[in-house]
Amino acid sequence: MNLVYALLGLLGLYIYVSVMSLLFAGIDRKLVARMQRRIGPPILQPFYDFLKLVSKETIIPNTANFMFKVAPVLMLATTIALLAYTPFGFAPLFATKGDIIVFIYLLTLADFFLVIGVMSSGSPYGRIGASREVAMLVSREPAMMLGVFAVMWGISKFGVQKPFSLSSLYEHNIWELGPMAWVAGAILVYVFMSWLASEIEAGFFNIPEAEQEIAEGTLVEYSGRYLAIIKLAESMKEFIAASLVVAVLFPWQLNMPGIQGYIVNLLIHTLKVFIVLFVAKTIFRTVTGRLKISQAVNLLWTRVFAASVIGALILAMGVSL
Amino acid sequence: MIRLPLLSTVIKNLFKKPATNPFPKTEPVPVPENFRGKIVYNVDKCVGCRMCVTVCPAGVFVYLPEIRKVALWTGRCVFCKQCVDVCPTNALQMSDEFLLASYDKYDSKFIYVTPEEAEEIKKKQEELKKAKAQAKAKKDQ
Ligand code: SF4
Ligand code: SF4
């Protein structure tokens, strides 16, 4: 019976997150347009785009192998599975001890499926995009992992029920760990915002898809239904990545019992996700251009990962002293 | 250190009105004086001097020797205004019209003096000639 409820919850979350993430994509485009003194598309534009892509003819290149068709589906499936482990203002549906590993694993796996699909298309432009995507993927994740593990380790010192689970983030947060942790928290805000920007490939990090440079990079060969699936999965992944940032850094929620408590917390969480994405995506992509891939990798290792190490050390000192 | 020089501009822009012209809902941006739009041709004024045929770089004009007029297909026009400047009788003018999209490149709005119209003009001219000849004959009697 519990499993049935969990599956129903997953389905509900899937619908909610798809709608909300596409809605945010619309708001994002509108705001970017207004920042450039344009009117911009209607807020529901991503929904129309999605429907249009679904109804278009899907073209499979002659050089593509079967992974080309499977990868987008697997990518979406991974993203949906990821929803069960994502904190949405309340503990994730399948929260267990150490589920952060599953979360990180699934989050990167979705990108790997995209890379595999693009590699299978046979297009050399796609390959360039894919290799850039992998370089970014490898460079950006360690900073986030170190930050998340440090925070969860700090929180586990309070004696939470499920250490190293994303649900423990709602029991205690890093701002309760004293003044040293506040300094570490400020550094981690920077680290996580940079990570989020590189995860959703906004601003500096819009490299693998670099439209004007290598003909859309990763998405060059996808069309029709597959493109629609990838776009949806990417925009859901955006929402999920921002959810992690919100849960780790700003997990304040209302303590309401019952089903309406879940709904209110979900709405508060959505609002926080929108604010985080507004800074990390909308503003960031309006005020900056992209870096070269070598510069971005360099930046992620020297500026972001280094900051993450420093933040983690300060946090560790704050906790043990 | 990252510098974001655009940040303040962008935030300010967010609270300003969009600086665009939402065209189908409003009038298009007004054209200036002496705007070079679609060619307008007045058949009656044309004396068939063929200056426009000589000067047009795009081959818009075809001279019709039987009626001593020109036929135009403005689908090829590059809006250089040379024909207007050279025409001695001001039979050619530039208009303000610039919304010239069409589904058909041989749309009637691009063509002046179709073969049928040429036939009609020919008939009229012949009638005119006959009338003149008759008038002359009467006078001579
Ligand atoms: S405007 Fe120029 S191109 Fe157009 S009909 Fe006149 S001479 Fe030809
Ligand atoms: S230049 Fe003017 S008058 Fe001469 S043929 Fe052309 S339109 Fe007719």
Side-chain angles (χ1 to χ4, degrees), chain A residues 82 85 96-108 145 148-149 152 164-166:
Chain A
L82 187 55
Y85 296 96
T96 52
K97 264 184 243 173
D99 65 7
I100 178 67
I101 304 279
V102 181
F103 182 89
I104 293 171
Y105 173 71
L106 288 176
L107 193 62
T108 40
M145 285 186 215
V148 170
F149 288 146
M152 291 206 158
F164 288 94
S165 158
L166 288 160

Side-chain angles (χ1 to χ4, degrees), chain B residues 41-43 45-53 61 63 68-70 72 83 86-92:
Chain B
Y41 175 53
N42 187 344
V43 198
K45 278 194 192 171
C46 179
V47 294
C49 66
R50 275 184 290 170
M51 293 295 272
C52 52
V53 187
F61 300 93
Y63 182 59
R68 293 163 59 74
K69 305 276 177 197
V70 286
L72 288 77
C83 53
V86 85
C87 179
T89 60
N90 289 336
L92 292 164

